[in-house]
Amino acid sequence: MYPAAFDYVAPRTVDETLAILADRGEDVKILAGGQSLIPLMKLRLAMPKKLVDINRVPGLDTVGVADGHLTVGALTRHNDMVHSEVVAAENHTMAAAAPWISDPLVRNLGTVGGSLAHSDPQGDWGSVMLACGAEMVARTTRGQRTIPVGEFFVDLFTSALEPDELLTEIHVPRYQGPAGGTYLKLERKVGDYATVGVAVHLQLDAGRQRIEQAGIALTAVGPKNIKAVDAEQALVGQVPGDDLFAEAAELAAAAAEPRTDVRGSADYKRSVVSTFVRRGLSRAAEQAGRA
Ligand SMILES: Cc1cc2nc3c(=O)[nH]c(=O)nc-3n(C[C@H](O)[C@H](O)[C@H](O)COP(=O)(O)OP(=O)(O)OC[C@H]3O[C@@H](n4cnc5c(N)ncnc54)[C@H](O)[C@@H]3O)c2cc1C
C-alpha cells in the first residue's frame, strides 16, 4: 500500500529542524532511518502531513566521550554502533547488543535515536539504555532538557518526547570501576525481533569484592522495555555468586509481563528471562574481573 500524501522537507541544521517542528506540532513526523516510520505510513497507521528528514543535519551521528559520558548522537546508525571502537572500548552491554539489531539492511539505515523514540517494546536499544542508566537529551525551540531513561518509555510505542521535540543525543555513564555487561537475545531466525532479550550491566567496587551498581532490563516481554528494579536492588552491595544471580534471575522473571504469541508461550518466555539473567550476570561478573 502507498502512504497517504505528505509534504517533505530536509533541513540542514538543528535550529531549522526545531523551527519546523515548532511550527507544525502534531502534524509533523521526524524521519530518521525510516525503518519503522515508513512501514507504518505504508499501512496508514501513521499519516503525518509533513515529514522532516533529519538525515542531512550534521553533527547528530557522532559517538564520543565527554563529561563522564559515552555520548551517542541520535542519528547514529545501528551499524556504526557495531563498528565503533569507542563503544567497544567503553561499554560491554552496548557492544554486545549492536550486532543483534535486525539484519545488515536495517542496521545500515536504522538509528539509535529512531529506535528509542519509536519506543517499541521489542527494541533492543531500549533495554540497553535502561540497564546502563542512560539519559536522553531532547531539544525544542524553547530549549534543551535531559530525560532519565527510567522516565522515557511511557507505554507501548509512546515515549516522553513531545511532538515538537528532537532527540539529539543519548548519554550513557562511563564505568567508574571494574565493570561488565552483555546483551542476550533469543530470536526465531537471524534478523528477527526478539522473542526475549536481556540487557545486563554490573559494576564492582575497586577491590572487586561487592557489586556497586546493577542494571537489568528486558526486551519483548511487556508493553514497554522493563527495568527489573527488584532484581537490581537484590544485587547491590552483595558478593557476586551463583546463588545471588539465581535469586536475581527469579526476581527479573517475576518482573516480566510476557504474552503468549507466535514466538512462544508466556511461561517459556519467563523461563528464558531467568536463564538469560543468570547467564548475563555471570558473564558480566567475569568481565569485571570476578569469575
Ligand atoms: C525488518 C525489520 C527488522 C527489525 N528488527 C529489529 C530488531 O531486531 N531490533 C530492534 O531493536 N529493532 C529492529 N527493527 C527496528 C529498527 O531498529 C529501526 O531502525 C528503529 O525502530 C527505528 O529507527 P529509524 O531510525 O529507522 O526511525 P524512523 O523509522 O525514521 O522513526 C521512528 C520513529 O521515531 C521518530 N524519530 C526518529 N528519530 C527521532 C529523533 N531524533 N527525535 C525524535 N523522534 C525521532 C520518528 O518520527 C518516528 O516516529 C527492525 C526493523 C525492520 C524494518
Side-chain angles (χ1 to χ4, degrees), residues 108-190:
N108 275 334
L109 286 167
T111 66
V112 178
S115 173
L116 296 168
H118 189 52
S119 291
D120 183 342
Q122 299 180 109
D124 298 299
W125 288 122
S127 293
V128 170
M129 299 309 168
L130 281 168
C132 294
E135 291 180 327
M136 312 291 153
V137 181
R139 283 182 61 184
T140 62
T141 49
R142 300 181 299 286
Q144 176 171 303
R145 69 171 175 142
T146 301
I147 310 166
V149 66
E151 296 167 20
F152 188 77
F153 301 111
V154 175
D155 206 344
L156 187 69
F157 299 116
T158 311
S159 79
L161 290 171
E162 298 293 337
D164 65 343
E165 265 184 323
L166 173 72
L167 179 62
T168 53
E169 58 188 29
I170 300 105
H171 290 171
V172 180
R174 295 184 78 189
Y175 296 154
Q176 300 295 313
T182 193
Y183 190 74
L184 297 164
K185 178 171 173 177
L186 176 70
E187 55 186 18
R188 288 178 305 177
K189 58 185 172 60
V190 172

XYZ file of all heavy atoms in Angstrom, residues 108-190:
626
model
N 22.058 -0.698 8.509
C 22.698 0.379 7.743
C 21.885 1.660 7.759
O 22.430 2.752 7.585
C 22.878 -0.052 6.283
C 24.155 -0.844 6.111
O 25.100 -0.684 6.883
N 24.177 -1.726 5.132
N 20.583 1.556 7.920
C 19.709 2.734 7.846
C 19.145 3.149 9.206
O 19.077 4.339 9.532
C 18.537 2.453 6.890
C 18.899 2.444 5.416
C 17.778 1.851 4.586
C 19.200 3.872 4.940
N 18.711 2.178 9.983
C 18.060 2.477 11.262
C 19.008 3.157 12.231
O 20.224 2.946 12.191
N 18.441 3.996 13.101
C 19.261 4.793 14.017
C 18.926 4.475 15.475
O 17.812 4.038 15.787
C 19.005 6.299 13.783
O 17.647 6.608 14.145
C 19.254 6.683 12.332
N 19.890 4.751 16.335
C 19.676 4.513 17.773
C 18.550 5.423 18.282
O 17.638 4.981 18.984
C 20.974 4.779 18.568
C 20.740 4.588 20.061
C 22.092 3.872 18.082
N 18.598 6.710 17.884
C 17.572 7.654 18.343
C 16.196 7.290 17.826
O 15.200 7.396 18.556
N 16.121 6.853 16.570
C 14.833 6.452 15.996
C 14.256 5.267 16.746
O 13.054 5.209 17.030
N 15.111 4.329 17.082
C 14.666 3.150 17.817
C 14.112 3.554 19.184
O 13.046 3.082 19.589
C 15.848 2.189 17.982
O 15.499 1.132 18.820
N 14.809 4.434 19.877
C 14.355 4.842 21.217
C 13.073 5.672 21.130
O 12.123 5.456 21.892
C 15.465 5.622 21.933
C 16.735 4.789 22.214
C 17.876 5.684 22.657
C 16.452 3.719 23.260
N 13.028 6.612 20.177
C 11.840 7.468 20.037
C 10.619 6.634 19.655
O 9.501 6.926 20.080
C 12.096 8.537 18.980
N 10.835 5.579 18.894
C 9.739 4.718 18.448
C 9.137 3.929 19.624
O 7.966 3.563 19.623
C 10.272 3.775 17.368
C 9.232 2.985 16.667
N 8.120 3.557 16.103
C 9.122 1.633 16.450
C 7.373 2.603 15.563
N 7.963 1.437 15.767
N 9.961 3.668 20.625
C 9.510 3.023 21.881
C 8.766 1.711 21.658
O 7.731 1.454 22.285
C 8.614 3.984 22.685
O 9.374 5.034 23.173
N 9.314 0.918 20.797
C 8.784 -0.432 20.574
C 9.336 -1.324 21.689
O 10.550 -1.371 21.885
C 9.261 -0.911 19.185
C 8.714 -2.266 18.797
O 8.247 -3.017 19.676
O 8.764 -2.582 17.592
N 8.473 -2.041 22.420
C 8.990 -2.908 23.493
C 9.910 -4.011 22.974
O 10.618 -4.650 23.745
C 7.719 -3.510 24.105
C 6.638 -3.310 23.102
C 7.013 -2.096 22.300
N 9.896 -4.217 21.643
C 10.814 -5.189 21.039
C 12.132 -4.543 20.634
O 13.008 -5.206 20.084
C 10.167 -5.816 19.808
C 8.883 -6.555 20.125
C 8.292 -7.154 18.862
O 8.298 -8.360 18.683
N 7.793 -6.310 17.990
N 12.271 -3.259 20.863
C 13.506 -2.557 20.523
C 14.619 -2.948 21.483
O 14.446 -2.919 22.706
N 15.756 -3.335 20.927
C 16.858 -3.803 21.772
C 17.555 -2.657 22.513
O 17.966 -2.806 23.659
C 17.873 -4.567 20.906
C 17.256 -5.804 20.267
O 16.813 -6.690 21.006
O 17.185 -5.872 19.019
N 17.679 -1.482 21.846
C 18.394 -0.381 22.498
C 17.694 0.094 23.770
O 18.335 0.554 24.715
C 18.578 0.806 21.555
C 19.586 0.574 20.476
C 19.381 0.650 19.134
C 20.972 0.215 20.641
N 20.537 0.360 18.450
C 21.524 0.101 19.348
C 21.781 -0.027 21.746
C 22.860 -0.240 19.137
C 23.116 -0.364 21.537
C 23.640 -0.477 20.252
N 16.379 -0.001 23.810
C 15.646 0.464 24.998
C 16.128 -0.242 26.260
O 16.388 0.394 27.286
N 16.278 -1.560 26.162
C 16.731 -2.319 27.343
C 18.180 -1.993 27.693
O 18.544 -1.881 28.865
C 16.579 -3.824 27.094
O 15.224 -4.156 27.008
N 18.993 -1.823 26.651
C 20.405 -1.490 26.899
C 20.495 -0.176 27.682
O 21.216 -0.062 28.680
C 21.168 -1.371 25.558
C 22.558 -0.796 25.761
C 21.239 -2.732 24.879
N 19.711 0.809 27.241
C 19.768 2.128 27.898
C 19.227 2.057 29.319
O 19.746 2.710 30.228
C 18.998 3.167 27.074
C 19.544 3.370 25.669
S 21.333 3.687 25.658
C 21.700 3.496 23.901
N 18.179 1.255 29.527
C 17.635 1.101 30.889
C 18.668 0.438 31.806
O 18.856 0.857 32.945
C 16.362 0.260 30.856
C 15.081 0.972 30.422
C 13.978 -0.049 30.150
C 14.614 1.972 31.474
N 19.326 -0.596 31.315
C 20.311 -1.298 32.146
C 21.495 -0.398 32.480
O 22.042 -0.459 33.575
C 20.783 -2.572 31.441
N 21.878 0.455 31.521
C 23.084 1.278 31.700
C 22.776 2.642 32.331
O 23.699 3.438 32.541
C 23.792 1.483 30.360
S 24.453 -0.041 29.679
N 21.524 2.930 32.602
C 21.182 4.204 33.270
C 21.412 5.423 32.403
O 21.916 6.445 32.875
N 21.021 5.341 31.124
C 21.273 6.441 30.182
C 20.348 7.632 30.424
O 19.363 7.534 31.173
C 21.082 5.926 28.762
N 20.683 8.725 29.782
C 19.827 9.921 29.770
C 19.629 10.352 28.320
O 20.551 10.278 27.512
C 20.489 11.068 30.524
C 20.574 10.835 32.017
C 21.238 12.001 32.721
O 22.132 12.640 32.128
O 20.866 12.275 33.866
N 18.417 10.812 28.023
C 18.092 11.258 26.669
C 18.129 12.780 26.638
O 17.509 13.431 27.482
C 16.673 10.819 26.275
C 16.372 9.381 26.560
S 17.304 8.290 25.491
C 17.386 6.833 26.526
N 18.809 13.337 25.659
C 18.872 14.791 25.517
C 17.947 15.185 24.370
O 18.095 14.693 23.245
C 20.313 15.258 25.238
C 20.365 16.781 25.117
C 21.249 14.772 26.331
N 16.978 16.060 24.677
C 15.985 16.458 23.672
C 15.930 17.976 23.580
O 16.086 18.678 24.589
C 14.613 15.909 24.049
N 15.692 18.479 22.351
C 15.668 19.936 22.145
C 14.388 20.379 21.438
O 13.834 19.658 20.594
C 16.870 20.370 21.305
C 18.169 20.401 22.101
C 19.315 20.885 21.257
N 19.115 22.241 20.750
C 19.949 22.850 19.919
N 21.035 22.224 19.500
N 19.712 24.066 19.511
N 13.951 21.577 21.811
C 12.891 22.286 21.087
C 13.383 23.721 20.908
O 14.469 24.080 21.392
C 11.565 22.349 21.880
O 11.816 23.090 23.085
C 11.032 20.975 22.234
N 12.551 24.564 20.285
C 12.918 25.983 20.182
C 12.923 26.627 21.570
O 13.513 27.676 21.769
C 11.917 26.740 19.286
O 10.589 26.420 19.715
C 12.083 26.375 17.816
N 12.270 25.973 22.541
C 12.223 26.527 23.902
C 13.471 26.201 24.697
O 13.694 26.760 25.759
C 10.988 25.987 24.646
C 9.664 26.324 23.981
C 8.480 25.791 24.773
N 8.476 24.345 24.915
C 8.181 23.480 23.938
N 7.862 23.927 22.740
N 8.202 22.181 24.147
N 14.268 25.256 24.255
C 15.491 24.908 24.977
C 15.755 23.419 24.956
O 15.205 22.691 24.133
N 16.582 22.998 25.905
C 17.021 21.598 25.945
C 16.638 20.974 27.280
O 16.668 21.659 28.301
C 18.541 21.578 25.786
C 19.158 20.199 25.893
C 20.631 20.225 25.500
O 21.000 20.635 24.413
N 21.466 19.768 26.410
N 16.273 19.719 27.271
C 16.061 19.030 28.545
C 16.671 17.640 28.482
O 16.882 17.076 27.393
C 14.583 18.961 28.921
C 13.751 18.048 28.044
C 12.348 17.871 28.625
N 11.520 17.096 27.710
C 10.623 16.192 28.083
N 10.404 15.974 29.367
N 9.906 15.524 27.188
N 16.948 17.099 29.683
C 17.531 15.767 29.787
C 16.511 14.863 30.464
O 16.010 15.199 31.537
C 18.828 15.832 30.621
O 19.713 16.741 29.965
C 19.501 14.489 30.717
N 16.199 13.756 29.823
C 15.176 12.851 30.352
C 15.869 11.562 30.816
O 16.467 10.851 29.992
C 14.135 12.501 29.265
C 13.614 13.779 28.584
C 12.984 11.680 29.850
C 12.855 13.517 27.285
N 15.786 11.246 32.123
C 16.357 9.960 32.565
C 15.625 8.821 31.866
O 14.399 8.896 31.681
C 16.066 9.938 34.083
C 15.685 11.328 34.457
C 15.133 11.988 33.228
N 16.354 7.796 31.494
C 15.739 6.717 30.703
C 14.564 6.064 31.434
O 13.598 5.620 30.821
C 16.801 5.672 30.271
C 17.384 4.931 31.469
C 16.222 4.707 29.266
N 14.613 6.076 32.760
C 13.516 5.499 33.547
C 12.194 6.220 33.339
O 11.133 5.664 33.612
N 12.261 7.456 32.838
C 11.026 8.221 32.587
C 10.725 8.320 31.093
O 9.753 8.961 30.691
C 11.178 9.651 33.145
C 11.338 9.679 34.649
C 11.811 11.039 35.142
O 11.659 12.042 34.420
O 12.359 11.086 36.258
N 11.573 7.720 30.281
C 11.467 7.946 28.836
C 10.407 7.059 28.176
O 9.654 7.506 27.321
C 12.824 7.712 28.173
C 12.860 8.103 26.728
C 12.956 9.441 26.356
C 12.784 7.149 25.728
C 12.979 9.817 25.014
C 12.811 7.512 24.390
C 12.900 8.845 24.037
N 10.351 5.791 28.562
C 9.388 4.869 27.929
C 8.082 4.917 28.707
O 8.000 4.434 29.839
C 9.956 3.444 27.893
C 11.244 3.363 27.128
C 12.440 3.116 27.780
C 11.260 3.575 25.765
C 13.635 3.069 27.080
C 12.456 3.529 25.047
C 13.640 3.279 25.710
N 7.071 5.514 28.106
C 5.816 5.762 28.815
C 4.856 4.589 28.641
O 4.248 4.110 29.593
C 5.170 7.072 28.302
C 3.818 7.295 28.936
C 6.102 8.246 28.582
N 4.736 4.095 27.430
C 3.808 2.992 27.146
C 4.171 2.418 25.778
O 5.124 2.878 25.136
C 2.364 3.516 27.155
C 1.362 2.419 27.506
O 1.733 1.234 27.435
O 0.214 2.748 27.836
N 3.345 1.486 25.320
C 3.559 0.874 24.003
C 3.690 1.962 22.919
O 2.762 2.784 22.766
C 2.350 -0.025 23.698
C 2.395 -0.900 22.473
C 3.409 -2.021 22.631
C 1.016 -1.489 22.209
N 4.800 2.000 22.235
C 5.063 2.978 21.172
C 4.863 4.428 21.635
O 4.520 5.291 20.830
C 4.172 2.711 19.939
C 4.409 1.360 19.326
C 3.413 0.399 19.308
C 5.644 1.045 18.779
C 3.641 -0.858 18.757
C 5.879 -0.211 18.224
C 4.872 -1.162 18.219
N 5.058 4.682 22.895
C 4.888 6.045 23.423
C 6.075 6.411 24.302
O 6.305 5.783 25.334
C 3.594 6.151 24.273
O 2.514 5.581 23.539
C 3.285 7.593 24.628
N 6.800 7.442 23.862
C 7.922 7.927 24.677
C 7.518 9.245 25.330
O 6.444 9.786 25.063
C 9.156 8.152 23.798
O 9.027 9.381 23.101
N 8.410 9.748 26.174
C 8.137 11.012 26.866
C 8.400 12.226 25.974
O 8.201 13.365 26.397
C 9.001 11.103 28.125
N 8.833 11.996 24.727
C 9.128 13.123 23.832
C 7.831 13.847 23.437
O 6.832 13.203 23.115
C 9.814 12.632 22.561
C 11.252 12.121 22.689
C 11.695 11.474 21.384
C 12.194 13.245 23.103
N 7.881 15.173 23.434
C 6.760 15.971 22.927
C 6.822 15.958 21.397
O 7.888 15.744 20.813
C 6.866 17.417 23.441
C 6.800 17.550 24.960
C 5.438 17.168 25.525
O 4.445 17.215 24.774
O 5.384 16.802 26.712
N 5.680 16.233 20.722
C 5.685 16.189 19.246
C 6.702 17.141 18.619
O 7.185 16.881 17.517
C 4.260 16.610 18.872
C 3.437 16.368 20.082
C 4.345 16.491 21.274
N 7.024 18.237 19.296
C 7.972 19.188 18.698
C 9.394 18.994 19.218
O 10.260 19.832 18.998
C 7.505 20.634 18.944
C 7.501 21.007 20.423
O 7.536 20.081 21.266
O 7.465 22.207 20.735
N 9.649 17.863 19.898
C 10.987 17.638 20.455
C 11.832 16.761 19.547
O 11.360 15.717 19.064
C 10.894 16.965 21.837
C 10.952 17.974 22.969
C 10.952 17.313 24.338
O 10.264 16.298 24.523
O 11.626 17.839 25.222
N 13.077 17.162 19.378
C 14.061 16.375 18.634
C 14.994 15.709 19.641
O 15.623 16.409 20.452
C 14.860 17.295 17.698
C 16.034 16.667 16.959
C 15.549 15.710 15.860
C 16.931 17.747 16.339
N 15.063 14.393 19.608
C 16.069 13.693 20.411
C 17.409 13.924 19.719
O 17.540 13.588 18.533
C 15.713 12.200 20.465
C 16.643 11.268 21.234
C 16.718 11.637 22.708
C 16.173 9.815 21.082
N 18.353 14.524 20.427
C 19.623 14.849 19.766
C 20.739 13.874 20.141
O 21.543 13.488 19.300
C 20.091 16.277 20.084
O 20.110 16.442 21.506
C 19.176 17.310 19.448
N 20.790 13.502 21.419
C 21.830 12.533 21.787
C 21.462 11.758 23.039
O 20.528 12.125 23.767
C 23.193 13.210 21.954
C 23.251 14.312 22.965
C 24.585 15.058 22.917
O 25.212 15.122 21.851
O 24.994 15.569 23.978
N 22.198 10.694 23.248
C 21.979 9.825 24.405
C 23.288 9.817 25.195
O 24.369 9.659 24.607
C 21.615 8.393 23.937
C 20.331 8.437 23.093
C 21.424 7.470 25.129
C 20.541 8.288 21.631
N 23.158 10.017 26.505
C 24.338 9.983 27.378
C 24.317 8.700 28.207
O 23.351 8.447 28.927
C 24.313 11.180 28.341
C 24.548 12.489 27.656
N 24.387 13.705 28.285
C 24.952 12.771 26.393
C 24.668 14.678 27.427
N 25.008 14.140 26.278
N 25.374 7.930 28.093
C 25.478 6.690 28.868
C 26.645 6.861 29.834
O 27.771 7.135 29.390
C 25.739 5.484 27.927
C 25.841 4.194 28.722
C 24.645 5.387 26.877
N 26.413 6.733 31.149
C 27.510 6.941 32.102
C 28.688 6.008 31.812
O 28.482 4.823 31.535
C 26.883 6.609 33.460
C 25.412 6.667 33.257
C 25.155 6.353 31.815
N 29.903 6.570 31.896
C 31.094 5.725 31.731
C 31.278 4.874 32.986
O 30.830 5.248 34.068
C 32.343 6.596 31.552
C 32.318 7.404 30.292
C 33.618 8.151 30.123
N 34.692 7.296 29.633
C 35.964 7.661 29.557
N 36.331 8.880 29.952
N 36.876 6.839 29.095
N 31.941 3.756 32.850
C 32.232 2.910 34.010
C 33.118 3.687 34.983
O 34.081 4.342 34.581
C 32.969 1.638 33.576
C 32.191 0.708 32.664
C 32.855 -0.143 31.795
C 30.803 0.666 32.690
C 32.162 -1.030 30.972
C 30.091 -0.214 31.870
C 30.781 -1.048 31.011
O 30.095 -1.917 30.191
N 32.804 3.557 36.276
C 33.603 4.215 37.314
C 34.479 3.210 38.062
O 35.121 3.561 39.059
C 32.675 4.905 38.328
C 31.776 5.977 37.728
C 32.580 7.149 37.183
O 33.486 7.645 37.858
N 32.270 7.574 35.973
N 34.461 1.979 37.648
C 35.250 0.936 38.315
C 35.208 -0.303 37.448
O 34.738 -0.255 36.313
N 35.675 -1.445 38.000
C 35.638 -2.674 37.219
C 34.196 -3.026 36.852
O 33.340 -3.107 37.742
C 36.241 -3.735 38.147
C 36.496 -3.079 39.445
C 36.206 -1.627 39.356
N 33.936 -3.203 35.573
C 32.548 -3.377 35.138
C 32.443 -4.367 34.002
O 33.427 -4.672 33.315
C 31.970 -2.035 34.709
N 31.257 -4.868 33.811
C 30.988 -5.771 32.698
C 29.521 -5.687 32.333
O 28.723 -5.055 33.026
N 29.193 -6.320 31.233
C 27.787 -6.305 30.821
C 27.634 -7.061 29.530
O 28.618 -7.348 28.836
N 26.398 -7.386 29.201
C 26.163 -8.082 27.949
C 24.706 -7.924 27.522
O 23.892 -7.343 28.252
C 26.552 -9.571 28.052
O 26.585 -10.134 26.739
C 25.571 -10.356 28.920
N 24.411 -8.415 26.329
C 23.035 -8.450 25.841
C 22.786 -9.826 25.271
O 23.543 -10.296 24.405
C 22.808 -7.384 24.761
C 21.347 -7.239 24.405
C 20.462 -6.608 25.270
C 20.841 -7.762 23.221
C 19.111 -6.492 24.966
C 19.497 -7.643 22.901
C 18.642 -7.007 23.782
O 17.301 -6.888 23.482
N 21.765 -10.482 25.774
C 21.411 -11.813 25.289
C 20.059 -11.745 24.613
O 19.135 -11.119 25.142
C 21.371 -12.802 26.459
C 22.715 -12.986 27.165
C 22.541 -13.639 28.522
C 23.640 -13.823 26.306
N 19.954 -12.383 23.454
C 18.724 -12.270 22.675
C 18.368 -13.620 22.077
O 19.215 -14.282 21.473
C 18.926 -11.229 21.567
C 17.726 -11.039 20.653
C 17.942 -9.831 19.738
C 16.851 -9.691 18.699
N 17.018 -8.488 17.862
N 17.111 -13.994 22.245
C 16.589 -15.188 21.583
C 15.726 -14.716 20.433
O 14.806 -13.916 20.630
C 15.749 -16.009 22.565
C 15.057 -17.239 21.968
C 16.069 -18.324 21.606
C 14.028 -17.805 22.951
N 16.023 -15.170 19.211
C 15.216 -14.804 18.048
C 14.919 -16.057 17.246
O 15.686 -17.012 17.268
C 15.915 -13.728 17.214
C 17.310 -14.112 16.778
C 18.079 -13.003 16.070
O 17.729 -11.827 16.174
O 19.059 -13.340 15.387
N 13.796 -16.058 16.532
C 13.403 -17.259 15.792
C 14.330 -17.519 14.618
O 14.619 -18.639 14.254
C 11.973 -17.113 15.263
C 10.909 -17.204 16.344
C 9.551 -16.991 15.745
N 9.483 -15.732 15.005
C 8.419 -15.308 14.325
N 7.343 -16.043 14.293
N 8.436 -14.146 13.702
N 14.753 -16.433 13.974
C 15.699 -16.577 12.859
C 16.552 -15.317 12.832
O 16.169 -14.298 13.422
C 14.968 -16.756 11.535
C 14.023 -15.624 11.193
C 13.258 -15.959 9.918
C 12.165 -14.971 9.602
N 12.521 -13.593 9.389
N 17.668 -15.382 12.136
C 18.579 -14.245 12.102
C 17.849 -13.012 11.583
O 17.150 -13.074 10.576
C 19.802 -14.558 11.198
C 20.659 -13.322 10.997
C 20.613 -15.684 11.803
